[in-house]
Amino acid sequence: MLSTLIFALIPIFVTIGLGYLAARRGIFNDQDSKKFVKLVLTFMLPLHVFGGLWSTSRRILIANVPLMGWLMLSMTGCYLMMILIYRFGLHNSRQLATLRAMSVANPSVPFIGSAVLPLLFSTSNSAITIGICSLTVNIIMLPIAFDALSSDRSPWQRLAATFKKPLVIAAILGFLLTLCGTQMPSQLTSTFDLLGKGAGGVAIFAAGIVLGTRHLSFNQTILGTVLLKNIVFPLIILLIMWIAGTPAVLRRLVVIALAIPTATMPSTLAIRFGVNEKELASTQFWSTAFSLVTLSAFVLALA
């Protein structure tokens, strides 16, 4: 299992390292990282999200309602609760509170999970878990994040700006097509994969550029976020599911998915909107690094 995790995480460290090295050698700078992220959010990720959601069968969604419920409620509940804690308990700005909360509630299931989950669970369970987590992030988390990060003053203006974002439009359209019972023709897969599959790599490379221009940091705030994401959040969900008497297989699948380190989205949005880029990029790095121990521990404990 440890070797599996190492090989699943190596691409992240290599890509961050290349971005860091490129920044240190002056090949790319801070403005380039913002352009890369704009490319990801405007074109690459919307194509990837739309193709992924539309290719999901409605029958599979209906057959996995308990899994969908636990994952969506866990991630959304954690996200909203952490926003309130960071915003009103720790007096963060609305923008920073939202991105820190997303760092805790958003596991990198589509990227790291696609390498780890199929080795532990069936192909269908892994695929639906990846799909549900992507759906939760793009349908629920991102509209809230875009609303918080919007510079428009009026709530209606912020709402209108949020639903004009290509990523939000792609997620809603893909989900509606799936609910209508349609499924993407296999011949169109390459259309959405050509740019879409590179979204995660480009976003991670941009985070490496940020670390190269600002240097990797580690402080009490980053440590707290990493501990919440890697240990506390999945542990609380494990306890709740155990008290609720959920089947062991379902409990294992949900908790291991939530124990996967934080995704690229918080650091990507931080770079795009200029909100504590160094902290969010460093949080992503350390959450990934610590997951060698924390994720392995959850896998072994639930085996």
Side-chain angles (χ1 to χ4, degrees):
M1 186 62 222
L2 184 60
S3 66
T4 299
L5 286 177
I6 290 173
F7 282 107
L9 299 177
I10 279 177
I12 296 179
F13 292 122
V14 170
T15 307
I16 287 179
L18 289 173
Y20 180 90
L21 181 63
R24 300 298 294 171
R25 293 178 65 87
I27 300 173
F28 296 112
N29 57 32
D30 188 53
Q31 292 303 313
D32 293 319
S33 69
K34 294 183 183 298
K35 292 177 181 178
F36 284 139
V37 165
K38 191 173 184 179
L39 170 65
V40 169
L41 292 177
T42 307
F43 297 104
M44 301 177 76
L45 201 52
L47 285 171
H48 182 63
V49 168
F50 177 75
L53 290 177
W54 191 18
S55 62
T56 303
S57 168
R58 183 176 65 176
R59 178 180 56 82
I60 294 177
L61 287 177
I62 294 173
N64 289 273
V65 169
L67 176 61
M68 183 189 301
W70 277 106
L71 284 172
M72 294 187 77
L73 287 175
S74 298
M75 292 173 64
T76 305
C78 176
Y79 185 46
L80 296 176
M81 185 176 297
M82 292 309 303
I83 288 177
L84 294 175
I85 292 173
Y86 281 124
R87 181 74 178 96
F88 300 106
L90 301 177
H91 307 291
N92 295 164
S93 67
R94 190 160 58 103
Q95 294 85 352
L96 183 57
T98 303
L99 293 182
R100 283 177 172 170
M102 185 177 281
S103 294
V104 176
N106 182 12
S108 184
V109 174
F111 192 69
I112 298 177
S114 61
V116 174
L117 294 179
L119 299 174
L120 303 172
F121 307 99
S122 67
T123 303
S124 60
N125 279 340
S126 301
I128 193 62
T129 300
I130 294 169
I132 292 170
C133 290
S134 299
L135 181 66
T136 305
V137 172
N138 292 289
I139 296 292
I140 299 175
M141 290 187 176
L142 274 179
I144 296 173
F146 280 130
D147 177 71
L149 294 165
S150 175
S151 59
D152 298 311
R153 296 181 180 180
S154 165
W156 290 110
Q157 288 178 324
R158 293 202 306 269
L159 187 64
T162 294
F163 285 95
K164 289 180 182 177
K165 302 290 184 185
L167 193 49
V168 176
I169 294 172
I172 293 175
L173 183 58
F175 183 57
L176 289 177
L177 287 171
T178 298
L179 285 183
C180 291
T182 64
Q183 193 166 0
M184 182 178 67
S186 58
Q187 295 88 341
L188 292 178
T189 301
S190 59
T191 302
F192 299 102
D193 281 353
L194 185 60
L195 270 178
K197 281 192 172 180
V202 175
I204 294 171
F205 187 85
I209 295 175
V210 170
L211 295 178
T213 55
R214 292 172 175 79
H215 301 292
L216 179 67
S217 65
F218 186 77
N219 53 39
Q220 187 175 356
T221 301
I222 293 173
L223 176 61
T225 305
V226 171
L227 290 177
L228 285 169
K229 170 67 203 76
N230 288 32
I231 300 175
V232 178
F233 174 35
L235 206 56
I236 289 175
I237 299 303
L238 174 61
L239 180 62
I240 292 173
M241 294 184 76
W242 181 73
I243 292 174
T246 56
V249 174
L250 176 62
R251 188 164 64 238
R252 184 169 176 247
L253 181 56
V254 170
V255 172
I256 289 178
L258 298 179
I260 290 172
T262 193
T264 60
M265 186 56 71
S267 59
T268 300
L269 292 174
I271 296 169
R272 175 68 180 87
F273 293 95
V275 181
N276 284 42
E277 303 101 310
K278 178 180 177 180
E279 177 196 325
L280 274 300
S282 297
T283 299
Q284 180 188 343
F285 176 86
W286 289 115
S287 176
T288 304
F290 289 165
S291 69
L292 283 171
V293 176
T294 57
L295 183 55
S296 297
F298 274 107
V299 171
L300 292 174
L302 295 170

